[in-house]
């Protein structure tokens, strides 16, 4: 980190390889949007100028990771790359059984298949969409119990990702809970961190009721750094020490290593329970691959072994959290409502507050994300009623929040890219009264946001 006498937090890397980005005109983007059925997932990425769709698998790898990839050993069974990966995961989580998977949802699917039965309940601060879909596909019911502040975009709280412990205890007393999964940081709730105190207590309650306590640890490093910055007693601990303490309370973890694994693909399922691990391993072999590669190449395992540790470097985490906070500050200065305080991997625009004239039935957050593309070539993602509005029985209910997420790929964009994003948003704030909603014209039954098609509800977006 820079000396304390200098206050500028710099990108703690220099650039070795660059990738050009393509500029398009407003007229071109209008046609591209229409052809994509007004769904940003259906655009060609080459037509996007700044891609903030996700921080998942979209980051830049380090020279050490690329060097590791050259060392990748592609043996079908017992590859040394697997053992380096396993050692990295164990070194951070302390969990005994480590199963590599091709990404997070594969770990979720395996866990849900082996641990859940019809009618079981899974409790979380907030299940991510793929996790919820996997819980429901196993016939179980997902119950999100964030603290009330976690559902209030404007309310300031240092750990808005916390689970409501009283509600958790009530649910546990009901006797149907088979699994508790704490998502750190809470992605769907604004990338908000969970405190160590909350995590420890949630674990204690779950274990007291004989229910396994798992962590969805995609962004464990960012969460660890928030604990260092905001929770008393952790100021002098390293992110690794904090991460180890977080995992010491867990019976298992699922991870999409496309986030804090700093790699383009990969994930894992880890746990202590021998019998459950055995079942999971058998399913892994059936659907993903032999347990020492789990659907990944040996070189992916090497990139992960290095990346999982790099994510815990303090100068990186300081820069990472500060970049998100910086964009959040610029937008707040411009009067644009965002989830406060900004999360670890993304800024979330509060579309309900920004576009109060667009009803939930016309998907205000979806419409806003389309406008950002049309005006500035920026791709974001809706986390609102398109993603969460459809109920398991097929009915429709507005989501708790209508958010647009601007997710930051790791080590990819610089401060001037963020200044551009802020300028585009200021422009959009100037025309917000004119922005109109959309109508969904086609949608699949599950995970509909990926492929649904829309039209502007009133002829044009603005
Ligand atoms: N859990 C969380 C908290 C996530 O954010 C994600 C993915 C997953 C599980 C699933 O992992 O994609 O590797 O299968 N989130 C991405 C995102 C897609 O954009 O936030 P996966």
């Amino acid at each position: 980190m820079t000396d304390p006498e200098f206050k500028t937090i710099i990108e703690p890397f220099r650039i070795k390889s660059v990738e050009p980005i393509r500029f398009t005109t407003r007229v071109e983007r209008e046609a591209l949007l229409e052809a994509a059925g007004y769904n940003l997932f259906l655009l060609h990425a080459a037509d996007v100028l700044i891609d903030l769709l996700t921080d998942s698998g979209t980051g830049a790898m380090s020279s050490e990771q690329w060097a590791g990839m050259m060392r990748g050993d592609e043996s079908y069974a017992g590859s040394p790359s697997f053992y380096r990966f396993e050692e990295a995961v164990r070194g951070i989580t302390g969990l005994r059984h480590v199963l590599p998977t091709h990404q997070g949802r594969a770990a979720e699917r395996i866990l849900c298949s082996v641990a859940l039965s019809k009618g079981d309940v899974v409790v979380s601060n907030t299940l991510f969409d793929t996790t919820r879909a996997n819980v429901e596909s196993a016939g179980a019911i997902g119950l999100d119990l964030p603290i009330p502040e976690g559902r209030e975009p404007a309310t300031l709280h240092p750990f808005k990702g916390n689970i409501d412990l009283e509600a958790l205890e009530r649910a546990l007393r009901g006797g149907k809970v088979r699994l508790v999964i704490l998502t750190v940081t809470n992605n769907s709730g604004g990338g908000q961190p969970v405190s160590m105190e909350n995590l420890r207590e949630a674990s204690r309650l779950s274990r007291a009721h004989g229910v396994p306590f798992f962590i969805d640890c995609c962004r464990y490093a960012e969460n660890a750094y928030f604990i260092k910055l905001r929770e008393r007693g952790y100021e002098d601990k390293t992110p690794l020490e904090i991460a180890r303490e977080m995992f010491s309370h867990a019976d298992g973890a699922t991870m999409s290593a496309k986030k804090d694994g700093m790699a383009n693909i990969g994930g894992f399922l880890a746990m202590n329970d021998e019998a459950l691990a055995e079942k999971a391993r058998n399913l892994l072999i059936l659907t993903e691959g032999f347990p020492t590669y789990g659907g990944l190449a040996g070189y992916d395992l090497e990139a992960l072994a290095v990346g999982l540790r790099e994510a815990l470097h303090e100068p990186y985490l300081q820069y990472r959290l500060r970049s998100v906070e910086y964009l959040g500050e610029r937008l707040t200065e411009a009067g644009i409502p965002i989830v406060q305080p900004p999360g670890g991997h993304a800024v979330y625009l509060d579309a309900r507050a920004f576009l109060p004239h667009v009803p939930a039935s016309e998907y205000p957050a979806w419409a806003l994300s389309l406008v950002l593309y049309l005006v500035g070539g920026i791709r974001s993602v809706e986390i609102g009623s398109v993603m969460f509005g459809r109920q398991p029985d097929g009915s429709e209910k507005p989501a708790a929040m209508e958010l647009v997420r601007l997710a930051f790929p790791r080590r990819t964009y610089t401060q001037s890219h963020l200044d551009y994003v802020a300028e585009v948003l200021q422009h959009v704030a100037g025309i917000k009264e004119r922005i109109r909603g959309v109508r969904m014209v086609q949608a699949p039954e599950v995970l509909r946001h990926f492929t649904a098609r829309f039209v502007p509800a009133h002829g044009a977006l603005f």
Side-chain angles (χ1 to χ4, degrees), residues 44 92 105 152 175 193 254 272 318 357 381 393 399 410 440 452:
H44 288 211
I92 295 163
R105 68 198 70 181
E152 299 161 4
T254 57
N272 283 331
Q318 183 194 37
H357 56 284
V381 72
D393 65 5
R410 291 169 182 75
M440 195 184 293

Side-chain angles (χ1 to χ4, degrees), residues 54 103-105 108 128 130 187 216 218-219 256 259 405:
T54 178
Q103 59 184 89
R105 68 198 70 181
E108 294 157 12
F128 184 66
T130 57
N187 185 9
D216 173 345
C218 300
R219 299 177 181 85
S256 168
K259 282 82 167 175
R405 185 184 72 172

Side-chain angles (χ1 to χ4, degrees), residues 53-56 102-106 108 128-131 183-188 216 218-219 254-259 266 345 381 383 405 407 450:
L53 179 70
T54 178
D55 62 322
S56 183
H102 78 275
Q103 59 184 89
R105 68 198 70 181
E108 294 157 12
F128 184 66
D129 59 350
T130 57
T131 324
T183 311
V184 304
T185 56
N186 186 6
N187 185 9
S188 312
D216 173 345
C218 300
R219 299 177 181 85
T254 57
M255 180 170 194
S256 168
K258 300 168 75 173
K259 282 82 167 175
H345 67 294
V381 72
I383 301 197
R405 185 184 72 172
F450 290 129

Side-chain angles (χ1 to χ4, degrees), residues 160-236:
K160 279 173 104 168
N162 283 355
I163 191 167
D164 182 334
L165 294 167
E166 279 174 27
L168 169 65
E169 192 167 19
R170 266 197 307 278
L172 286 163
R173 278 205 222 103
K176 287 195 168 164
V177 181
R178 283 291 161 276
L179 202 55
V180 173
I181 303 179
L182 214 56
T183 311
V184 304
T185 56
N186 186 6
N187 185 9
S188 312
Q192 299 291 326
V194 176
S195 73
M196 189 72 83
E197 190 188 0
N198 188 261
L199 191 147
R200 190 190 307 123
E201 199 49 25
S203 161
R204 191 188 65 74
L205 289 171
S206 308
R207 287 171 171 177
H209 288 81
V211 175
F213 177 76
F214 272 63
I215 302 180
D216 173 345
C217 66
C218 300
R219 299 177 181 85
Y220 74 97
E222 289 166 10
N223 200 89
Y225 202 60
F226 274 120
I227 289 176
K228 182 177 170 82
L229 295 178
R230 297 183 183 170
E231 193 163 349
R232 195 181 301 178
Y234 291 92
E235 317 62 7
D236 298 326

Side-chain angles (χ1 to χ4, degrees), residues 76-115:
Y76 189 95
S79 159
S81 300
F82 168 74
Y83 294 109
R84 276 190 281 272
F85 164 80
E86 183 185 51
E87 191 190 321
V89 177
R90 280 211 190 121
I92 295 163
T93 67
L95 293 164
R96 269 199 292 280
H97 304 282
V98 179
L99 284 65
T101 58
H102 78 275
Q103 59 184 89
R105 68 198 70 181
E108 294 157 12
R109 184 186 56 79
I110 293 174
L111 175 65
C112 292
S113 308
V114 300

